[in-house]
Amino acid sequence: MAKATIDDVAALAGVSMKTVSRVMNNEPNVRPATREKVEAAVAQLDYRPNMSARSLAGNRSYLLGLLYGIPSAHYVLDIQEGVLDICRPQGYELLVHPCNHQDPNITQEIVDLMRDKRIDGVMLTPPISDNMTLMHALKRMSVPFVRVAPTESKGLSPYVETNDQEASYDMTCKLIALGHTRIGFICGHPDHRAVTLRFDGYKAALIENDIPLSNDLVANGLNSFESGEACARKLLEKKSRPTAIFAANDDMAAGVMMVAHQLGIKIPEELSVAGFDDTPVAHQIWPALTTVRQPIQAMAKKATELLIKQLRGKDVQLPASMLTSTIIVRESTGVAPKKHS
Amino acid sequence: MAKATIDDVAALAGVSMKTVSRVMNNEPNVRPATREKVEAAVAQLDYRPNMSARSLAGNRSYLLGLLYGIPSAHYVLDIQEGVLDICRPQGYELLVHPCNHQDPNITQEIVDLMRDKRIDGVMLTPPISDNMTLMHALKRMSVPFVRVAPTESKGLSPYVETNDQEASYDMTCKLIALGHTRIGFICGHPDHRAVTLRFDGYKAALIENDIPLSNDLVANGLNSFESGEACARKLLEKKSRPTAIFAANDDMAAGVMMVAHQLGIKIPEELSVAGFDDTPVAHQIWPALTTVRQPIQAMAKKATELLIKQLRGKDVQLPASMLTSTIIVRESTGVAPKKHS
DNA sequence: TTGAAAGCGCTAACAC
DNA sequence: GTGTTAGCGCTTTCAA
């Protein structure tokens, strides 16, 4: 038996093609009895609308795009699953697009993708969610978009974010409460603004607790494990080294732990280490890493909802959504050592 | 200026629609001069074929599917990038579909996806690449598919694989060469056959070197970090414990290292540990893990090529491709300790 | 080597 | 509330 078309359904249900179309698209103005007849025919024929025909006639692709710049594999996969969970039931499919956010041609590449595939709407994840050039290009093409954890020009699109700054404030306070006063901080990649902002939470906590901010205790990382190692060396080889190091992400925190092991510094007895993200490595290294967990899938779901709402023309305003991260205390943090001998 | 259509291009080039179509699809039987005229018109109008119209008229979707069951985030992302690298330039797009391989409805779910989206061809990654029920369903629907690292019924489809067994044989030999004779092995999840086969390499190496295979030295893991910990406890709490442990993947190896640390067993002085996969955690834990690196992206690219070839009706035979993995020696392995006191 | 005509299966605009 | 009519922009078939 060949695949059923909308005509077959219409014939079987004894209605017109258009009525079937109305039922399939959940449009109003169909009498319940008619709707049921159509639904029965659909079920009987196992009818599936042909996406290509819909797209062609409706001048829409029913495709969403996901742009990611490899912050971390787990982050991306979590986002991906969150998006699919929401968009599939609503009839949208997802096109994923990895991109190198350093590539100067990134905007052109993405513009081409949007044009070629006629993508209906797109989600930008960090650090691409702060790429102004790209965003303006999308605006010019009238491609609706939603952003995850943007830090710039938030008025430009709907977005979702987490309370990163607050979480890093809380984490810093936690370290202070354990008696630490010399707390090192390893900043994130400057292009990845959302990570960078975590530094602000650290600073706020120090100020709040009357601890002077010292440049000697701050190092500039690049989000990678290797950069974490380099920063750790810089911080730990000082004569008066910190008793705790808070890194802006887990990879860098893992780098700190590696260096500490190599230098024979005991964690947490001699050095507390905290990270951010709760990637799998956080609980797989020894000792397990105290960190901050973000609701990544929840963010992705919320963002997808905002995007689809936008596509449907609802909510002309630009909604935003804030989700909360939570601190996960493990074995890498402990009370500050007594004044060192 | 509105989007150019094939008619616009035909008019500008002074040829028929069909000729433009021929040029766009790289069909033969177009005079070079004509081809150039058309290409000039395409460039001038910045013409992009409309996928939906193509799909509708051609009764193809130009969509490939990627089914994955979360073996590991990095694995999936690597595969994904490899596929995109090959399929995009050939005019195919990718639909990703995470699935739980334990779910009894998985076959129905995927069959529905294939029908709804009219997917032209699909790639199965482990452990789904061994799901016979699913494969038969795909055959019945005539959906072409390619498999990554299958272990069963290899004649059923084109596939790519790596020399896992040989690599684990080599790794075991390496440990033996370091003087180890009591070498523990942690098997992978029984549903994940490709991982399971790594055990065979271990066994072969023992036999080759006249070392008896002891059940006391083998533990059954489930691929997860936690299962690695459990197996490690089982192996290390014995009175006569192994001097080396080879785990069928990195996550389990990381579990072994965690337990060793907790038990105060020094790595590699008192215990060598080796893993498989070279996931990021392998070089982020301390001491860095000796492991096996698979050419994941290369496999994905090769598999995509095989799939597309199949879609184009070439190569009616079922080709297969074997890629080679390489051992990465890091700090977690060393010479066997002297007979223990 | 090229072209003309006929759809693919659906939605949009409007009529009833 | 429902139906009619025209395409959407391509590929296919077959003729020239």
Side-chain angles (χ1 to χ4, degrees):
Chain A
M1 132 192 139
K3 232 171 210 4
T5 72
I6 198 171
D7 287 301
D8 303 328
V9 177
L12 181 60
V15 299
S16 78
M17 206 166 94
K18 178 64 207 175
T19 300
V20 177
S21 173
R22 285 198 180 92
V23 171
M24 294 309 293
N25 294 293
N26 280 312
E27 285 172 31
N29 297 337
V30 180
R31 203 180 306 153
T34 314
R35 185 176 295 274
E36 276 167 33
K37 263 196 309 187
V38 172
E39 278 163 355
V42 165
Q44 191 183 325
L45 296 171
D46 192 25
Y47 165 66
R48 319 287 180 115
N50 180 315
M51 285 293 295
S52 307
R54 285 187 121 173
S55 300
L56 181 58
N59 195 31
R60 267 165 297 167
S61 65
Y62 296 94
L63 291 175
L64 303 185
L66 171 63
L67 306 181
Y68 62 88
I70 311 275
S72 109
H74 298 89
Y75 188 90
V76 173
L77 273 203
D78 258 11
I79 293 273
Q80 208 163 282
E81 268 198 70
V83 174
L84 286 171
D85 252 26
I86 300 300
C87 77
R88 283 256 170 79
Q90 311 231 38
Y92 285 91
E93 256 308 329
L94 180 66
L95 250 49
V96 296
H97 188 75
C99 34
N100 175 357
H101 76 102
Q102 313 258 31
D103 186 340
N105 300 319
I106 182 177
T107 296
Q108 189 55 50
E109 176 189 318
I110 293 168
V111 163
D112 285 350
L113 181 71
M114 298 297 126
R115 296 198 53 175
D116 284 355
K117 309 302 176 189
R118 265 96 167 159
I119 288 177
D120 286 346
V122 65
M123 181 180 303
L124 315 190
T125 57
I128 303 165
S129 44
D130 275 332
N131 185 324
M132 298 300 292
T133 315
L134 172 60
M135 285 192 283
H136 286 124
L138 293 175
K139 283 275 180 206
R140 223 173 300 121
M141 303 177 76
S142 309
V143 175
F145 61 96
V146 66
R147 289 183 289 163
V148 174
T151 67
E152 293 190 47
S153 308
K154 294 188 176 180
L156 232 46
S157 75
Y159 66 90
V160 296
E161 61 183 350
T162 53
N163 59 340
D164 272 30
Q165 214 170 319
E166 196 182 318
S168 75
Y169 171 88
D170 290 346
M171 180 67 90
T172 310
C173 287
K174 211 153 209 130
L175 292 170
I176 294 170
L178 286 167
H180 297 277
T181 54
R182 294 190 56 77
I183 304 173
F185 191 87
I186 301 181
C187 303
H189 195 296
D191 284 357
H192 200 325
R193 289 290 311 273
V195 173
T196 305
L197 286 182
R198 294 170 187 171
F199 184 46
D200 296 344
Y202 162 81
K203 281 191 293 191
L206 292 190
I207 290 169
E208 181 88 11
N209 288 276
D210 293 319
I211 297 176
L213 177 66
S214 158
N215 279 330
D216 279 0
L217 291 174
V218 177
N220 294 308
L222 297 168
N223 289 8
S224 68
F225 175 78
E226 289 74 18
S227 74
E229 289 182 307
C231 290
R233 263 183 225 109
K234 185 188 145 196
L235 294 174
L236 293 175
E237 283 171 355
K238 292 215 159 72
K239 41 192 176 302
S240 155
R241 67 179 194 228
T243 62
I245 295 180
F246 180 13
N249 77 7
D250 287 349
D251 284 351
M252 295 192 292
V256 172
M257 302 210 355
M258 177 64 86
V259 170
H261 286 134
Q262 289 167 349
L263 297 177
I265 298 172
K266 292 206 184 80
I267 301 171
E269 294 81 0
E270 300 176 282
L271 179 72
S272 286
V273 179
F276 209 113
D277 286 342
D278 196 29
T279 57
V281 77
H283 72 270
Q284 297 185 354
I285 52 179
W286 178 80
L289 185 66
T290 292
T291 186
V292 176
R293 178 182 297 159
Q294 292 189 303
I296 303 176
Q297 283 214 19
M299 287 177 86
K301 289 182 184 183
K302 190 70 203 170
T304 309
E305 284 164 5
L306 295 183
L307 182 57
I308 293 179
K309 225 177 239 165
Q310 207 185 157
L311 301 183
R312 300 227 168 105
K314 294 176 191 167
D315 258 43
V316 198
Q317 15 237 11
L318 295 176
S321 191
M322 163 84 84
L323 303 181
T324 64
S325 298
T326 52
I327 291 182
I328 312 284
V329 177
R330 296 204 181 93
E331 289 90 51
S332 67
T333 47
V335 295
K338 309 286 179 202
K339 291 272 173 255
H340 59 93
S341 44
Chain B
M1 134 192 136
K3 231 169 210 5
T5 73
I6 198 172
D7 287 301
D8 303 328
V9 177
L12 182 61
V15 298
S16 80
M17 207 166 93
K18 177 62 208 176
T19 300
V20 178
S21 173
R22 285 199 180 91
V23 172
M24 294 309 293
N25 294 295
N26 281 312
E27 283 171 34
N29 296 338
V30 179
R31 201 180 309 152
T34 315
R35 188 176 291 275
E36 274 167 34
K37 263 196 310 187
V38 172
E39 278 163 354
V42 165
Q44 190 182 328
L45 297 172
D46 191 25
Y47 166 67
R48 320 286 180 111
N50 181 317
M51 286 293 295
S52 307
R54 284 189 121 173
S55 301
L56 180 57
N59 195 30
R60 265 164 300 168
S61 65
Y62 297 95
L63 290 176
L64 304 184
L66 170 64
L67 305 181
Y68 62 89
I70 311 276
S72 106
H74 298 90
Y75 189 89
V76 173
L77 273 203
D78 259 10
I79 293 272
Q80 205 163 281
E81 268 196 71
V83 175
L84 287 172
D85 252 26
I86 300 300
C87 77
R88 283 258 171 80
Q90 312 231 39
Y92 285 91
E93 256 309 328
L94 180 67
L95 250 47
V96 296
H97 189 76
C99 35
N100 175 356
H101 76 104
Q102 312 258 29
D103 185 340
N105 300 318
I106 182 175
T107 296
Q108 188 56 49
E109 177 189 316
I110 292 169
V111 164
D112 285 349
L113 182 71
M114 298 296 125
R115 298 199 51 174
D116 284 356
K117 310 299 177 190
R118 265 98 167 158
I119 286 176
D120 286 346
V122 67
M123 179 179 303
L124 315 190
T125 57
I128 301 165
S129 44
D130 275 332
N131 185 323
M132 297 301 291
T133 316
L134 172 60
M135 284 191 284
H136 286 125
L138 291 175
K139 283 272 181 212
R140 224 173 299 120
M141 303 177 76
S142 308
V143 175
F145 58 97
V146 65
R147 288 184 290 163
V148 174
T151 66
E152 293 191 48
S153 307
K154 293 189 176 181
L156 231 47
S157 74
Y159 65 89
V160 296
E161 61 184 349
T162 53
N163 59 339
D164 273 30
Q165 216 170 314
E166 197 182 316
S168 77
Y169 169 88
D170 290 345
M171 179 67 89
T172 310
C173 288
K174 210 152 209 130
L175 292 170
I176 294 170
L178 287 167
H180 296 277
T181 53
R182 296 190 54 76
I183 303 172
F185 190 88
I186 301 181
C187 301
H189 195 295
D191 285 358
H192 199 324
R193 288 290 310 273
V195 174
T196 306
L197 286 182
R198 295 170 186 171
F199 184 46
D200 296 345
Y202 161 82
K203 281 191 294 192
L206 292 191
I207 291 168
E208 181 87 11
N209 288 275
D210 292 320
I211 298 176
L213 178 67
S214 159
N215 280 330
D216 279 0
L217 291 175
V218 177
N220 294 307
L222 297 168
N223 289 7
S224 67
F225 174 79
E226 289 74 17
S227 75
E229 288 181 308
C231 291
R233 264 182 225 108
K234 187 189 144 197
L235 294 174
L236 293 176
E237 283 171 353
K238 292 214 161 73
K239 39 193 177 305
S240 157
R241 66 175 194 232
T243 63
I245 295 181
F246 182 13
N249 76 8
D250 287 348
D251 283 351
M252 295 191 293
V256 172
M257 304 217 342
M258 176 64 87
V259 169
H261 286 136
Q262 289 166 349
L263 296 177
I265 298 173
K266 292 206 184 79
I267 300 170
E269 293 82 359
E270 300 176 281
L271 179 72
S272 285
V273 180
F276 209 113
D277 286 342
D278 195 29
T279 57
V281 78
H283 72 270
Q284 298 186 354
I285 52 179
W286 178 80
L289 186 67
T290 292
T291 186
V292 176
R293 178 182 296 160
Q294 291 188 301
I296 303 176
Q297 283 213 17
M299 290 177 83
K301 289 183 183 182
K302 190 73 204 166
T304 309
E305 283 163 6
L306 295 182
L307 182 56
I308 292 178
K309 225 177 239 165
Q310 205 184 161
L311 300 184
R312 300 230 168 103
K314 295 176 193 166
D315 260 42
V316 198
Q317 16 239 9
L318 296 174
S321 190
M322 164 84 85
L323 303 181
T324 63
S325 299
T326 52
I327 293 183
I328 311 284
V329 177
R330 297 205 180 90
E331 289 90 50
S332 67
T333 47
V335 295
K338 310 285 175 201
K339 292 271 173 251
H340 58 95
S341 47

